[in-house]
Amino acid sequence: MIRLAGVLCAACFATIGVSHAAGDARVGAKPGAKPAASQRASATAASGSGPASRERAAARVAPRNGAVAKGPAVKTVATRRSKRARAAAPEARGADAAASPRVSVGQAIGLHSTQDPLELHSSVALVIDQRSGETLFAKNSQAVLPIASITKLMTALVVLDAGLPLDEPLEISEADLDTEKGTRSRLRFGTRLTRGELMQLALMASENRAAHALGRHFPGGIHAFVAAMNDKADALGMRDSYFVDPTGLSSRNVSNARDLARLVDAAYRYPQAREYSTATQLSVANGSRQSAFRNTNRLIISPTWDIGLQKTGYISEAGNCLVMQVSIEGRPLVLVLLDATGRLSRFGDAQRLRNWLENDRGGGSDRVSAVQVSFGS
């Protein structure tokens, strides 16, 4: 089992700790199930638990020049971050565009060296039966990594939990400008959209200014909103997750596949999250003109996929990410793919997993054998 005990810091360097144990979570374990006592002790020593210790881990500064600090059970790897991701950043236009050539955290720490029978391009993969909680496929599912715009699922849940009116008009302002990566947005300053429209743009089109505006218009502002995100993570049992902004642009928004499976399962229970994330497009009044936004998940328009909820994500530190609630031959599943090497690779990996479930492993029946692989095992 892998556990990363650090996250990228806000400075120009990043720290990721990796502890090793044989294998991954056992078959039949539910998403986010607690590990054995010895494993919990190792994880606690490495990263602590709860928002306060996660925040301290997020602020840790790594050695310079990519130095590797070795300990008895932890390997620390530092990677240099650029100050700004400019026009080439995939989330710049509110969508997942072509990937940057920079190395992701998963690549930097060697997760892509993990072999799996499907030869996936994602360094992290997890498939869980949504009804039973049974693990069907797990690859590096305990690795804590940046999650990019998957963060926006949590943003939506916090807004919905607050009961704020979805028909209330909110204005995009210069306060929603991305100062983290310097990305662009199609939403102009001064544009007024309803809270519901902004949520749909955030979930469907991965629109960063829309997500930030949702947090900014929360009672108490951004700081109160981020605190509510972490409170919600704790309530869901996402003990290896930490959030610092509503957009996912910061690499300090981190989680692992098992925590994200919990998030997807929870989000699926919100009708608006299902509706907004799976919509194919939305046209809105954007200043003096209409702008059409489309879903960043190309599988949404495929008639062969039954997708109940989804979210894509990309920043260079996270690689290309995809989470979905899907039904395969009538079986509800949660699928998590993180740190894929190419923009389209995550969708190809989803299809590979589906083919494996349908054809190679008993047609998706309850007799499916679990595959579980992890780095260093």
Side-chain angles (χ1 to χ4, degrees), residues 127-130 264 268 297 299 305-310 322-335 350 354 357:
V127 181
I128 287 181
D129 186 301
Q130 195 175 15
V264 171
Y268 181 72
N297 185 345
L299 300 179
W305 278 90
D306 184 2
I307 301 173
L309 179 131
Q310 68 79 39
L322 173 67
V323 298
M324 296 192 294
Q325 190 281 342
V326 299
S327 181
I328 297 180
E329 296 190 342
R331 186 180 194 182
L333 304 172
V334 172
L335 186 152
R354 177 180 171 177
L357 289 164

Side-chain angles (χ1 to χ4, degrees), residues 83-354:
K83 291 183 178 179
R84 293 171 71 86
R86 301 189 185 277
E91 296 285 356
R93 296 179 298 277
D96 302 311
S100 163
R102 286 178 294 169
V103 173
S104 70
V105 171
Q107 290 173 319
I109 64 176
L111 292 184
H112 281 273
S113 66
T114 305
Q115 300 298 312
D116 70 81
L118 305 186
E119 298 183 346
L120 300 179
H121 296 277
S122 302
S123 72
V124 173
L126 181 65
V127 181
I128 287 181
D129 186 301
Q130 195 175 15
R131 283 193 296 246
S132 67
E134 179 187 3
T135 297
L136 304 180
F137 189 101
K139 175 183 178 182
N140 294 329
S141 63
Q142 303 277 9
V144 178
L145 297 172
I147 59 172
S149 285
I150 308 302
T151 299
K152 293 182 176 80
L153 273 181
M154 182 60 80
T155 297
L157 265 58
V158 169
V159 172
L160 293 170
D161 282 350
L164 301 173
L166 297 181
D167 59 353
E168 179 183 355
L170 307 178
E171 183 172 321
I172 300 294
S173 76
E174 291 188 10
D176 302 312
L177 182 70
D178 170 24
T179 59
E180 176 74 28
K181 293 282 195 292
T183 59
R184 297 172 294 174
S185 170
R186 293 172 59 197
L187 289 181
R188 298 179 174 183
F189 301 139
T191 295
R192 292 178 62 83
L193 300 174
T194 67
R195 183 176 277 107
E197 288 173 323
L198 291 174
M199 188 183 300
Q200 180 167 337
L201 290 179
L203 293 176
M204 177 195 77
S206 208
E207 228 303 326
N208 292 312
R209 286 183 187 172
H212 191 272
L214 289 173
R216 184 169 54 83
H217 287 279
F218 187 79
I222 286 290
H223 293 298
F225 189 84
V226 171
M229 293 174 75
N230 286 301
D231 287 344
K232 182 66 173 180
D234 284 344
L236 293 176
M238 298 173 62
R239 62 185 182 85
D240 289 320
S241 302
Y242 185 68
F243 298 94
V244 300
D245 72 67
T247 66
L249 286 167
S250 171
S251 57
R252 293 190 295 146
N253 294 289
V254 296
S255 188
N256 64 21
R258 294 197 174 272
D259 277 8
L260 291 180
R262 284 177 173 260
L263 177 59
V264 171
D265 181 64
Y268 181 72
R269 305 177 193 279
Y270 292 71
Q272 294 93 342
R274 295 198 303 270
E275 175 188 350
Y276 292 160
S277 72
T278 58
T280 56
Q281 62 179 2
L282 178 67
S283 293
V284 297
N286 188 16
S288 60
R289 64 182 182 183
Q290 288 286 120
S291 295
F293 294 80
R294 291 178 173 79
N295 203 302
T296 55
N297 185 345
R298 61 186 292 150
L299 300 179
I300 284 292
I301 62 174
S302 171
T304 65
W305 278 90
D306 184 2
I307 301 173
L309 179 131
Q310 68 79 39
K311 187 69 196 78
T312 63
Y314 173 86
I315 56 174
S316 59
E317 298 95 331
N320 293 274
C321 305
L322 173 67
V323 298
M324 296 192 294
Q325 190 281 342
V326 299
S327 181
I328 297 180
E329 296 190 342
R331 186 180 194 182
L333 304 172
V334 172
L335 186 152
V336 178
L337 294 165
L338 303 179
D339 189 32
T341 52
R343 182 172 64 91
L344 301 182
S345 298
R346 52 191 165 177
F347 306 122
D349 283 351
Q351 187 64 53
R352 292 180 188 93
L353 285 165
R354 177 180 171 177

